[in-house]
């Protein structure tokens, strides 16, 4: 889809007191059609951006496509 992904932060996988903490990314995507920037948190950035661009996210559906 040609979207640019801006990664702001990463939480890494590590073991704390017997629990594993997963890696998550903070990302921001910008709408190509309107003045709107969405910031989200996910463990799979590429898949998540695709769901936004395909209109599968209720919050961002009306703002797709994203850059």
């Amino acid at each position: 889809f040609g979207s640019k992904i801006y990664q702001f932060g990463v939480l890494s996988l590590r073991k704390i007191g017997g629990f594993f903490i997963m890696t998550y990314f903070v990302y921001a995507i910008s709408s190509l059609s309107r003045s709107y920037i969405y910031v989200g948190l996910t463990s799979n950035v590429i898949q998540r951006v695709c769901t936004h661009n395909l209109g599968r996210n209720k919050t961002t559906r009306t703002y797709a496509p994203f850059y």
Side-chain angles (χ1 to χ4, degrees):
F1 290 98
S3 295
K4 287 192 178 181
I5 301 163
Y6 300 95
Q7 181 179 315
F8 293 108
V10 179
L11 302 174
S12 63
L13 178 65
R14 52 195 168 138
K15 190 173 182 179
I16 300 175
F19 295 96
F20 285 96
I21 308 300
M22 290 184 62
T23 300
Y24 283 90
F25 302 90
V26 177
Y27 67 96
I29 51 178
S30 179
S31 174
L32 290 173
S33 60
R34 297 169 72 181
S35 179
Y36 180 78
I37 295 174
Y38 179 83
V39 178
L41 180 70
T42 186
S43 61
N44 187 331
V45 178
I46 302 300
Q47 179 182 348
R48 189 69 177 130
V49 171
C50 286
T51 62
H52 287 294
N53 278 324
L54 292 171
R56 295 182 181 159
N57 180 283
K58 184 178 178 181
T59 304
T60 60
R61 183 177 298 140
T62 59
Y63 300 102
F66 289 91
Y67 184 75

